[in-house]
Amino acid sequence: MDIPFSKVPLAVNEINYVTEVLKSGWLTTSSKAHLFEKRFAESVGAKYACAVNSCTSALHLAVEAIGINKGDKVLVPSLTFTASAEVLRYMGADPVFMDVDYDTGLITPEIVKEKLDIHNNIKAIIIVHYGGQAPVMTTSGNQGILDLCRSKKIRTIEDAAHAFPSKYDNRYIGSFGDVTCFSFYANKTITTGEGGMLVTDDESIYQRAKVMRLHGINRDIWTRFTDKKASWEYDVVAPGYKYNMPDVNAAIGLAQLEEAEWFRKERQRCAAYYMEKLGAVDCIDLPACTVPTEHHSWHLFPVKIKPSAAVNRNTFIELMAKEGIGTSVHYKPLHRMTYYRETYRLDTHDFPNTEKIWERTVSLPIYPGLTEGELDFICKTIHNIVNK
Ligand SMILES: Cc1ncc(COP(=O)(O)O)c(C=O)c1O
């Protein structure tokens, strides 16, 4: 068998839309990127969307636009990709790392509250929708993470790199926090090759992100070469970045967006298969699904190999690879990464759940088109390895 960890599914219209772009003679940002922004905003129920070249760029623009500055403290889970925290360092701000819940890999209102009780100067929080499901965002008693943060005027940035299309309380992720950032990297739930999207309902965040996305130029200049009436003149109002999404990538994104719900259902089918076939294996912890299964994007399916298994996580990965099954690890936590550990003198004892996850976690293949035969082979191989 040769089952890769991840495989990019093709929708229907990628080649058609990319061909339109190539024939138009205008390869960088223009009408396809604008249309992708419009359709994406509509699909998550946000007012504004700003297409960029990665989720990392979107996160950077988000923290810049909400005014995170040197010395500001921002909550972020340790169980995430470095992009979630590195953008704070771009601004000279300091991440305050949080532990997560063992079963879900998500932050909880209790974890956030504990940090807010210790630190009285937190300016913002980066909420990571680990694997594709949202943590407890809001509750009827106003005890959710967003409720807690809003009551203390803490700005909320959602790292939704894994979470499209995902819902919480019947609303799409992208319609909750001050600003939400998505990834369209090649292994994500929809892709543009490389790409990202910032969405918000706050016009001032949107306007700032739009200006900073393209060199700090104060107006839309995409039409300056194509529209005969457009003025050539523009001004630079800030030292911005070069983060725009070219139309070639947006064309792929538009096609993928059309099939996003089908892709999600396919991932859900794989997750259901794993849940059923691995549910009775004592030495494996399956990921806890805390939202209805159809509200989860199922970007990841991370299982945990318990100490009672015949092998540890690393040997498990090697044996799976020998059988031709690709896996991955999400994540080696940030408190273990040299830069963050040394800069902030982080101690593993402050992250007990994250540590347990890190020692045990392995992500299984999950993507549209993974066949029942392949899923069956993966599950049988896992049974053989952990019960040997
Ligand atoms: C949680 C999380 N945040 C941010 C990113 C960065 O995304 P991008 O590669 O689009 O910059 C990733 C990428 O995998 C991620 O997993």
Side-chain angles (χ1 to χ4, degrees):
M1 278 277 187
D2 179 13
I3 307 175
F5 170 64
S6 127
K7 214 180 204 174
V8 179
L10 276 192
V12 181
N13 281 320
E14 284 91 342
I15 291 170
N16 296 337
Y17 296 163
V18 170
T19 304
E20 283 172 21
V21 173
L22 294 174
K23 285 189 174 161
S24 80
W26 188 263
L27 304 197
T28 186
T29 307
S30 187
S31 57
K32 283 279 189 280
H34 288 153
L35 188 60
F36 186 37
E37 287 173 337
K38 183 172 175 295
R39 298 236 166 109
F40 193 85
E42 281 164 6
S43 71
V44 297
K47 269 196 194 150
Y48 307 103
C50 188
V52 287
N53 56 5
S54 71
C55 181
T56 309
S57 312
L59 287 164
H60 185 193
L61 291 172
V63 293
E64 202 278 340
I66 66 167
I68 297 298
N69 279 314
K70 195 165 187 297
D72 285 341
K73 296 207 177 329
V74 179
L75 293 176
V76 57
S78 180
L79 190 75
T80 188
F81 185 59
T82 185
S84 316
E86 79 191 26
V87 296
L88 301 171
R89 298 301 295 136
Y90 295 177
M91 309 308 299
D94 295 308
V96 174
F97 291 104
M98 296 177 282
D99 201 10
V100 291
D101 173 62
Y102 175 78
D103 296 321
T104 60
L106 296 168
I107 54 169
T108 64
E110 294 72 30
I111 290 169
V112 173
K113 191 166 179 317
E114 200 183 304
K115 285 287 177 197
L116 294 181
D117 287 345
I118 301 171
H119 302 270
N120 61 6
N121 54 352
I122 299 291
K123 182 123 181 224
I125 182 170
I126 310 244
I127 300 168
V128 178
H129 300 302
Y130 176 82
Q133 71 177 333
V136 177
M137 302 288 276
T138 54
T139 68
S140 51
N142 287 337
Q143 291 302 310
I145 293 167
L146 287 185
D147 306 319
L148 286 174
C149 291
R150 285 188 175 140
S151 71
K152 292 184 186 281
K153 300 210 168 8
I154 290 167
R155 306 304 298 270
T156 54
I157 299 150
E158 287 166 70
D159 179 341
H162 302 177
F164 179 77
S166 299
K167 286 182 182 169
Y168 181 82
D169 219 6
N170 263 324
R171 267 167 62 191
Y172 280 102
I173 295 304
S175 63
F176 283 90
D178 290 331
V179 51
T180 305
C181 304
F182 295 90
S183 174
F184 307 132
Y185 179 71
N187 68 3
K188 294 299 188 291
T189 49
I190 68 165
T191 186
T192 58
E194 295 276 2
M197 192 74 82
L198 175 155
V199 307
T200 182
D201 279 355
D202 182 326
E203 193 182 352
S204 65
I205 291 178
Y206 170 64
Q207 293 299 348
R208 178 68 182 180
K210 214 159 74 133
V211 164
M212 295 306 279
R213 169 178 67 174
L214 196 76
H215 303 295
I217 290 172
N218 73 335
R219 69 180 182 85
D220 234 344
I221 57 164
W222 309 120
T223 55
R224 120 184 110 108
F225 300 111
T226 49
D227 182 349
K228 289 195 179 65
K229 283 190 231 127
S231 159
W232 55 269
E233 194 180 358
Y234 61 85
D235 193 13
V236 171
V237 294
Y241 316 108
K242 182 66 165 66
Y243 284 166
N244 56 296
M245 176 185 282
D247 266 19
V248 175
N249 302 76
I252 300 170
L254 277 167
Q256 293 255 314
L257 189 57
E258 290 168 357
E259 301 298 334
E261 185 50 27
W262 180 70
F263 288 168
R264 198 206 60 72
K265 279 195 182 127
E266 276 288 282
R267 290 173 179 270
Q268 185 183 325
R269 172 182 63 80
C270 300
Y273 197 95
Y274 285 138
M275 290 289 194
E276 190 195 328
K277 299 287 162 143
L278 301 176
V281 185
D282 280 345
C283 52
I284 292 181
D285 280 329
L286 297 180
C289 181
T290 55
V291 294
T293 183
E294 66 276 14
H295 291 181
H296 196 315
S297 73
W298 295 109
H299 170 55
L300 296 179
F301 195 88
V303 299
K304 282 160 282 193
I305 310 298
K306 296 205 281 194
S308 54
V311 295
N312 66 19
R313 189 269 314 274
N314 291 0
T315 309
F316 177 88
I317 289 174
E318 280 166 27
L319 294 175
M320 291 284 277
K322 270 198 189 138
E323 296 296 332
I325 303 168
T327 57
S328 189
V329 169
H330 299 88
Y331 291 95
K332 178 175 173 182
L334 298 184
H335 70 260
R336 280 185 166 263
M337 298 295 187
T338 304
Y339 172 73
Y340 296 109
R341 192 186 66 236
E342 290 183 355
T343 307
Y344 296 103
R345 301 207 175 125
L346 300 171
D347 185 339
T348 52
H349 294 103
D350 292 327
F351 304 92
N353 291 336
T354 309
E355 277 291 296
K356 255 204 288 182
I357 294 172
W358 152 239
E359 280 162 17
R360 302 175 182 186
T361 194
V362 52
S363 299
L364 303 180
I366 183 165
Y367 42 84
L370 194 59
T371 66
E372 195 155 323
E374 289 170 323
L375 286 162
D376 186 55
F377 179 72
I378 294 168
C379 293
K380 286 193 173 130
T381 306
I382 292 174
H383 275 274
N384 288 340
I385 292 173
V386 297
N387 293 318
K388 211 180 256 173

